[in-house]
Amino acid sequence: QVQLVESGGGSVQSGGSLSLSCTASGMTFATRCMGWFRQAPGKEREGVALIYTSEYTQYADSVKGRFSISRNSARNTMTLQMNALSPDDTAMYYCAASPDKTGAYCGDQSAYTHWGQGTQVTVSS
């Protein structure tokens, strides 16, 4: 049974940093699409950062240059380093995994079949 568990959320002031972690069990990270998504109150869930390989990552325009996604396949963990946070980044953040091992569908949110419970990130001004 696949399980994804996020940690690292919290409250921070604008301009601050947080690092989110996702630990997986029941699956391996190696060569599959993994991603971080977020959902703010009253808004649709959106992709924040995706990773297929260390050379293949994607970021939402709103977080480019501020967020960095990485993963440690040996430890089955994925990390989202978030810097220069703003109140617009306030949301529930979710870790997700896709069975896609080709990388062709990393950008398709519907391709992600396993989701964590989420961790709250709150940025105050």
Side-chain angles (χ1 to χ4, degrees), residues 65-121:
R66 300 187 299 120
F67 290 13
S68 177
I69 189 171
S70 62
R71 71 181 180 191
N72 185 324
S73 296
R75 296 186 176 184
N76 261 14
T77 58
M78 179 174 66
T79 299
L80 183 68
Q81 177 64 41
M82 306 185 295
N83 299 323
L85 286 162
S86 76
D88 289 340
D89 296 314
T90 295
M92 185 71 78
Y93 283 71
Y94 299 90
C95 165
S98 166
D100 176 26
K101 294 187 177 182
T102 70
Y105 303 99
C106 282
D108 183 353
Q109 188 174 153
S110 66
Y112 290 79
T113 55
H114 303 293
W115 295 82
Q117 293 299 307
T119 185
Q120 178 67 38
V121 171

Side-chain angles (χ1 to χ4, degrees), residues 1 4 10-12 16 26 37 42 46 50 62 80 82 89 106 119-120 125:
Q1 181 179 356
L4 302 175
S11 297
V12 65
F37 296 80
E46 63 174 350
L50 311 172
S62 60
L80 183 68
M82 306 185 295
D89 296 314
C106 282
T119 185
Q120 178 67 38
S125 57

